[in-house]
Amino acid sequence: MITQSANPSTIRDINRANVLDTIRRKERISQAELAKALSLQPSTILRIITDLLEEGLIIRSGQGQATAKGGRRATLLELRPEGAFAVGVDLNSDEINAVMLDLTGNVVCHHRMASPSDQGPAMVMEALKDVIRELLSIHEDRIDKIIGISVGVPGKVDVEAGTSIYAVNFKNWRNVKIREELEQAFSLPVYVEREMRSMAYGENWFGKEHDHMLCLGLFQSGIGLGLVLNGQLYRGANQLEGDVGHVIVEPDGPICSCGRRGCLEAVASEKAICKRVNENRRKRVDGPSADSKEMNITEIIESFRLGDKDVERFVQEAVSYLGKILCDLVRVYDPKTIVIGGHALASSPEFVEAVRVHFNALQPNYADYVPDIKPVRFAENSTSIGAATLILSRIFKPNGPLAI
């Protein structure tokens, strides 16, 4: 609602953003339909549409159906994909994955490389710049249409300063000024956000129905949670919400990277599953054998799919922890939907189904609604696409990326 104190330029900006967002949501819509949907005067809509057409953000795209009285068919409007572009980066301890999105959210190009997270901040930042440079070089003709770069990073982030305070699985990673370095390197606006917020935001932006959502991220070395409550990203008082990977689920369990025992990350991450499976294989090997070769997570998931009992035992153990913590989180946050994203585990339908089965079995007898569990829409690109969406959303949302 616009208050009486809103100045004319603020009202114009809000109306413009609302027109663009309505076109985005409807995909194709006429001027008259816009005026009706937004309760704006036709003359106001006309001025905004004229500006947007001149700026190349929208295009005319054919005509709608004739009216019942046989009048002229209305001209339809839609977003122009080439009107703007945004770069999103998933910076994690395993790899750096970057995408470029057009104004409609389509992936124009992507590039990735291994993350030198064990070599210190300077090496990581150089690798991050290299990935972005490579991405930009693919479409040099679009540089002037790129409206910003967004980086999703694990750990604690100072969003206002664009600084990564710390990330557990990065060597010597403290107070890394990501925004400052990237803005100097590329002369573009840079936004830095926690990886799970980025993933959750992208899922909600494109999903439309997720006004109350838990987004669980399963990665090689960690586990995180993004929350959308009442249609908005939830942020904790100290920017540490969703750190479920360091919730203790097995008090006498293995040592975690955070220094404590039995954290969810230590028993249910991809790294933890690989460790348990391969330790068991080494115990069973008697002398030189092909079985002595360590299995990676992709091979483990494939063996799980094929019903390998030795592998299934450890995967199901991880599933039990994940199902239990999701059940507990539902009691706290009451979401409508749960989505699972990340890398290999999240890309496995069999694994997601196993989590769903265990989750459903743990519901209390009074539960009259059980949220569905589904994989994220963009698989391993979920964080990078979500990060880019945080930039694009500023065109459509007058209050920025918090107002989904």
Side-chain angles (χ1 to χ4, degrees), residues 22-40:
T22 304
I23 295 173
R24 176 185 74 88
R25 291 176 179 273
K26 298 295 185 180
E27 297 184 356
R28 300 178 80 201
I29 189 171
S30 70
Q31 248 176 251
E33 289 170 329
L34 278 169
K36 182 177 180 181
L38 297 173
S39 300
L40 293 174

Side-chain angles (χ1 to χ4, degrees), residues 129-375:
K129 293 172 195 174
D130 286 343
V131 169
I132 296 172
R133 286 191 193 101
E134 181 63 28
L135 196 73
L136 297 181
S137 71
I138 297 173
H139 289 288
E140 291 182 348
D141 58 323
R142 294 171 174 171
I143 295 295
D144 63 329
K145 291 290 186 180
I146 297 174
I147 60 174
I149 299 167
S150 180
V151 181
V153 61
K156 185 176 182 179
V157 174
D158 183 335
V159 175
E160 293 299 320
T163 299
S164 175
I165 306 301
Y166 65 79
V168 173
N169 292 308
F170 285 71
K171 182 179 179 180
N172 299 327
W173 192 269
R174 288 291 186 276
N175 299 312
V176 181
K177 298 179 179 180
I178 296 176
R179 185 174 72 190
E180 182 178 306
E181 283 203 43
L182 295 186
E183 287 186 341
Q184 289 176 356
F186 300 105
S187 299
L188 286 167
V190 174
Y191 188 80
V192 182
E193 184 57 277
R194 290 189 73 187
E195 64 176 348
M196 285 310 306
R197 290 195 202 121
S198 297
M199 183 186 292
Y201 192 88
E203 188 67 18
N204 199 37
W205 184 259
F206 292 103
K208 299 179 182 177
E209 74 274 18
H210 301 321
D211 285 339
H212 300 272
M213 177 188 72
L214 300 183
C215 181
L216 183 70
L218 307 175
F219 306 101
Q220 181 175 345
S221 301
I223 298 174
L225 187 76
L227 300 98
V228 175
L229 305 176
N230 296 317
Q232 294 189 346
L233 278 179
Y234 175 74
R235 296 173 184 274
N238 297 297
Q239 306 285 325
L240 286 172
E241 83 292 334
D243 197 15
V244 294
H246 297 291
V247 172
I248 294 175
V249 294
E250 189 62 60
D252 296 321
I255 291 286
C256 179
S257 61
C258 72
R260 303 191 301 172
R261 282 191 176 274
C263 291
L264 184 66
E265 176 181 301
V267 296
S269 66
E270 293 183 1
K271 184 177 181 180
I273 294 172
C274 284
K275 182 179 180 181
R276 296 293 304 280
V277 168
N278 286 308
E279 283 178 348
N280 182 63
R281 284 165 59 81
R282 284 193 293 273
K283 289 178 183 177
R284 292 191 298 107
V285 171
D286 184 16
S289 166
D291 283 345
S292 63
K293 177 181 177 293
E294 292 212 342
M295 297 177 72
N296 59 39
I297 191 63
T298 302
E299 293 167 335
I300 289 171
I301 289 299
E302 177 62 12
S303 295
F304 175 67
R305 185 183 72 82
L306 296 174
D308 184 321
K309 297 299 181 183
D310 290 322
V311 167
E312 184 176 6
R313 166 187 162 195
F314 298 105
V315 173
Q316 288 289 1
E317 187 175 273
V319 162
S320 69
Y321 289 118
L322 294 170
K324 180 179 183 301
I325 202 159
L326 284 174
C327 189
D328 292 343
L329 288 168
V330 166
R331 308 279 77 76
V332 176
Y333 293 108
D334 188 26
K336 181 179 180 181
T337 305
I338 299 171
V339 294
I340 297 180
H343 296 159
L345 289 178
S347 300
S348 165
E350 291 80 16
F351 185 85
V352 173
E353 177 60 24
V355 173
R356 182 187 295 113
V357 168
H358 198 84
F359 168 78
N360 288 341
L362 289 173
Q363 296 304 311
N365 57 16
Y366 61 81
D368 56 0
Y369 176 78
V370 179
D372 189 22
I373 294 179
K374 60 182 73 172

Side-chain angles (χ1 to χ4, degrees), residues 110-139:
H110 68 273
H111 184 64
R112 67 179 65 203
M113 67 178 290
S115 174
S117 56
D118 59 345
Q119 298 178 38
M123 291 296 291
V124 172
M125 289 304 299
E126 282 307 308
L128 175 59
K129 293 172 195 174
D130 286 343
V131 169
I132 296 172
R133 286 191 193 101
E134 181 63 28
L135 196 73
L136 297 181
S137 71
I138 297 173
H139 289 288

